[in-house]
Amino acid sequence: MKKVEFDKEYLELVGNLPDSLEEYQFYLGLKERKIYFNDDIDTTIVNKIVYWIQEWNREDQELNIPVDKRKTIQIYVTSNGGDVVAGFSAIDAIKSSITKIETIGVGCCASMGALLLISGHLRKAYPNTVILIHDGSMSVQSTSKKAKNTMNFYDRLDDRIKKFVVENTSISEELYTEKEDEEWYMFANDEGLSLGIVHEIIS
């Protein structure tokens, strides 16, 4: 097996060898403005995606780099979904980024992972990337009144998800309503492309 030669700058920065090869690969990606996000979506997304988007935008602004000359940020998404509220923090950061952001679907982009893919200014995917869109799931253990408040909030959250998908793809409100109670699976090079979830297929 080939020996891994670790970047000297990395070793100086962290002071020791990485805990895993994945950690080191993530670091190497950052040097090229590439974020490899292959996780369930939770609050760590604020550090893994939101922070770096804000940092690279700040860097470009301080250097007075014209928008069309800025180095594109690429986010490779592999995710089975997760926390919708946390996911929307990443979506807000992506949508508000002045520096162009490409999202690239790899393997599976399910649930909140699919929304993360949809948020890119330019969206790409490999042909056999699986995309899943469905309604949210929840469980409530509380008093009757608090449970009703929670359910009301999640209804509003589902409405936001629907609005986001309809406004950022070719999926009509009628089609979304028809499919929203289903597990809506699709391949990137089929419905994913024809419905405007992705713009390009990587061949």
Side-chain angles (χ1 to χ4, degrees), residues 152-200:
N152 177 260
F153 171 74
Y154 274 89
D155 284 342
R156 291 163 58 200
L157 199 56
D158 279 340
D159 287 341
R160 286 189 176 231
I161 292 170
K162 179 179 182 178
K163 184 173 186 289
F164 173 77
V165 172
V166 169
E167 288 182 350
N168 290 279
T169 68
S170 302
I171 297 172
S172 66
E173 188 171 349
E174 292 75 21
L175 179 58
Y176 188 97
T177 301
E178 178 187 330
K179 294 283 191 177
E180 66 182 339
D181 292 329
E182 301 178 15
E183 295 286 278
W184 190 6
Y185 286 96
M186 61 191 82
F187 286 109
N189 66 347
D190 188 5
E191 290 173 279
L193 188 61
S194 65
L195 291 174
I197 293 170
V198 295
H199 301 128
E200 296 179 16

Side-chain angles (χ1 to χ4, degrees), residues 64-166:
N64 292 317
I65 300 174
V67 174
D68 61 339
K69 301 293 184 183
R70 295 183 179 188
K71 184 175 177 61
T72 299
I73 299 167
Q74 294 180 307
I75 303 175
Y76 290 80
V77 181
T78 304
S79 179
N80 289 319
D83 186 337
V84 176
V85 175
F88 264 114
S89 71
I91 287 172
D92 287 342
I94 292 169
K95 299 298 281 185
S96 64
S97 175
I98 304 302
T99 301
K100 182 179 176 181
I101 296 180
E102 291 181 4
T103 50
I104 299 106
V106 182
C108 180
C109 298
S111 190
M112 196 64 217
L115 302 188
L116 195 58
L117 174 64
I118 291 170
S119 65
H121 304 152
L122 176 65
R123 284 112 59 177
K124 300 178 181 179
Y126 288 95
N128 292 306
T129 298
V130 174
I131 299 165
L132 168 62
I133 296 176
H134 64 181
D135 58 351
S137 60
M138 63 174 291
S139 61
V140 179
Q141 288 183 322
S142 186
T143 64
S144 175
K145 185 174 182 180
K146 289 178 180 177
K148 288 176 182 177
N149 290 338
T150 300
M151 291 174 67
N152 177 260
F153 171 74
Y154 274 89
D155 284 342
R156 291 163 58 200
L157 199 56
D158 279 340
D159 287 341
R160 286 189 176 231
I161 292 170
K162 179 179 182 178
K163 184 173 186 289
F164 173 77
V165 172
V166 169

